[in-house]
Amino acid sequence: MISLGIIGTNWITEQFIKATDITKTFALTHVYSRTEAKAKSFVEDLDKKNINISTDLTAFFKEDFDTVYIASPNGLHFEQAKQAIENNKNVIVEKPSTSTIKEFTILEKLAQEHDVYLFEAARHIHEPIFKKIAEIVAKHRDELSGATFSYMKYSSRYDAYKAGKNPNIFTTRFSGGALYDLGVYTVYDAVVLFGQPEKVDYDAEFLASGVDGSGALTLKYPNFDVNIIIGKTKNSYMSSEIYFGRDTLLLDNGGDISHLDWADDNKNITDVPTPKSENPMDSEAHEFARIMTENDQASYDKLLQYARTVNRILEQARTSAGIVFDADEEK
Ligand SMILES: NC(=O)c1ccc[n+]([C@@H]2O[C@H](COP(=O)([O-])OP(=O)(O)OC[C@H]3O[C@@H](n4cnc5c(N)ncnc54)[C@H](OP(=O)(O)O)[C@@H]3O)[C@@H](O)[C@H]2O)c1
């Protein structure tokens, strides 16, 4: 198993550790938290023993472990990933890995120089259900005629925002908002399934904090458009769809995909059987570990290319909408 340090002590980190336990890929050895008590309670809840706890990030990166999983607020990813790479750690960083394409380019170059892996944790593209979608798209590629993806979910943190608190995910300081939090999944959908679009346009509904609460994103491809609806301030139950002329593949959601149906021209809708994962992060944990242990350069290059394209589209989209992050000023 690959030794693992983590940054972040939230439910998503817990989910990732559980996925590494199930897949027997990474073994948790080190935890960084700003608070020792929080780190202790985190490892106790997971029933982990002999874990090294650090509240000093520089000291944490000097420790002897192989890979770091970074699940801090988006705006901290770049500096933490950079520091990790400079200390020769492999990096798995939560989506979106960076706030700007410039940051992504720096990390990519640095990872190459230090001969370490840099993975963006876009968990859903590794799940069996996504592989099934990719298979269907490849089979019907000649009829492919566009898509609509929807991922709009009322955030529990929006209540805190409205109450005048300042949750990280609704701040420009931490590169928050609907596009960077949920839109990233749907941009991955488009990039992995259809490739790089020719034109990107985002129309955002702004919150007073400067981030987008919701919005509509259009990705233009040579022969079709992909229309995307995202939001963190309301709930949508619209299904997502991929069009193949007369036939349509229905996805229950654009980011959190758990069910597929196929609809024909006569409105016959049939269930598309798909394998399910026990934990949505199993597949990515398995794939990252596999790439590292088998030194599968071709698969790694493909993931890096997806991440680079997605990060570029995210920046183009928010620039078109006029969303400015604090990270832009540091350019
Ligand atoms: N792949 C998925 O399915 C998925 C799902 C949810 C979230 N995510 C991603 O995971 C990342 C974390 O999201 P989250 O909602 O868990 O974020 P969060 O609650 O704002 O923060 C995550 C962790 O970062 C640390 N942290 C919080 N505020 C900080 C601050 N001001 N300065 C330094 N450290 C701080 C905290 O750890 P300590 O208190 O221990 O220091 C906390 O546990 C994001 O990039 C998000 O996009 C991915």
Side-chain angles (χ1 to χ4, degrees):
M1 296 231 273
I2 303 164
S3 55
L4 183 75
I6 57 160
I7 298 179
T9 51
N10 252 2
W11 71 271
I12 193 65
T13 334
E14 187 181 326
Q15 185 97 323
F16 186 72
I17 297 303
K18 287 180 175 163
T20 62
D21 286 347
I22 295 166
T23 51
K24 299 195 182 355
T25 44
F26 298 88
L28 181 66
T29 54
H30 291 73
V31 173
Y32 164 78
S33 171
R34 293 165 301 166
T35 326
E36 190 171 345
K38 207 170 160 192
K40 277 188 174 155
S41 120
F42 180 82
V43 296
E44 272 166 29
D45 289 349
L46 284 166
D47 201 22
K48 298 283 179 192
K49 309 270 186 284
N50 304 319
I51 306 295
N52 179 299
I53 287 173
S54 184
T55 52
D56 176 333
L57 199 59
T58 304
F60 169 74
F61 282 127
K62 297 279 176 237
E63 291 285 340
D64 184 21
F65 61 89
D66 187 80
T67 299
V68 65
Y69 169 66
I70 301 174
S72 55
N74 300 340
L76 298 178
H77 291 175
F78 170 68
E79 282 302 336
Q80 292 176 339
K82 183 165 173 283
Q83 205 176 339
I85 296 169
E86 284 165 348
N87 284 279
N88 301 312
K89 309 290 186 217
N90 298 299
V91 171
I92 300 170
V93 55
E94 264 305 336
K95 53 77 202 163
S97 51
T98 54
S99 306
T100 66
I101 188 64
K102 185 179 175 195
E103 288 180 353
F104 187 86
T105 309
I106 292 171
L107 290 187
E108 198 180 353
K109 185 164 176 277
L110 209 56
Q112 200 174 18
E113 283 166 10
H114 285 258
D115 196 22
V116 294
Y117 288 99
L118 170 67
F119 293 108
E120 181 168 69
R123 61 153 178 81
H124 73 307
I125 65 162
H126 301 283
E127 289 185 61
I129 197 161
F130 195 90
K131 305 275 181 206
K132 184 73 194 176
I133 298 169
E135 205 181 284
I136 293 169
V137 170
K139 186 173 165 199
H140 298 276
R141 186 155 284 277
D142 290 348
E143 289 80 44
L144 183 60
S145 33
T148 302
F149 295 126
S150 161
Y151 197 2
M152 180 137 41
K153 194 164 173 246
Y154 188 95
S155 166
S156 55
R157 290 167 186 179
Y158 189 47
D159 290 331
Y161 173 82
K162 284 190 293 185
K165 295 177 187 143
N166 209 15
N168 297 335
I169 199 60
F170 288 107
T171 66
T172 55
R173 177 180 169 213
F174 289 117
S175 312
L179 177 68
Y180 272 60
D181 190 41
L182 300 184
V184 57
Y185 290 95
T186 58
V187 173
Y188 256 101
D189 292 342
V191 168
V192 177
L193 298 172
F194 316 131
Q196 188 169 335
E198 289 182 332
K199 197 164 171 267
V200 175
D201 191 43
Y202 186 47
D203 194 0
E205 203 174 289
F206 279 88
L207 299 181
S209 70
V211 303
D212 52 326
S214 62
L217 172 66
T218 306
L219 306 179
K220 282 207 166 290
Y221 287 82
N223 301 318
F224 56 79
D225 287 358
V226 173
N227 295 299
I228 296 174
I229 297 164
I230 47 182
K232 289 185 69 62
T233 56
K234 42 202 157 192
N235 282 316
S236 167
Y237 303 94
M238 259 173 66
S239 63
S240 293
E241 300 178 331
I242 302 176
Y243 310 111
F244 304 96
R246 291 171 185 276
D247 298 321
T248 303
L249 178 67
L250 302 162
L251 292 58
D252 62 335
N253 189 280
D256 199 10
I257 313 165
S258 63
H259 187 85
L260 304 180
D261 283 304
W262 182 260
D264 71 13
D265 204 15
N266 295 320
K267 296 186 184 162
N268 294 315
I269 297 182
T270 45
D271 176 59
V272 178
T274 46
K276 302 268 179 308
S277 317
E278 197 177 324
N279 170 328
M281 300 181 97
D282 285 2
S283 306
E284 66 171 355
H286 184 271
E287 181 63 355
F288 298 154
R290 187 196 67 74
I291 289 174
M292 289 166 73
T293 47
E294 294 176 10
N295 203 3
D296 180 353
Q297 191 65 34
S299 297
Y300 176 61
D301 288 346
K302 201 199 270 181
L303 291 184
L304 260 187
Q305 190 195 328
Y306 291 152
R308 193 185 309 123
T309 308
V310 167
N311 277 270
R312 184 176 297 116
I313 292 171
L314 289 177
E315 181 167 308
Q316 287 170 343
R318 73 179 173 85
T319 305
S320 77
I323 301 166
V324 179
F325 287 159
D326 294 14
D328 294 328
E329 286 152 25
E330 286 147 25
K331 264 185 189 173

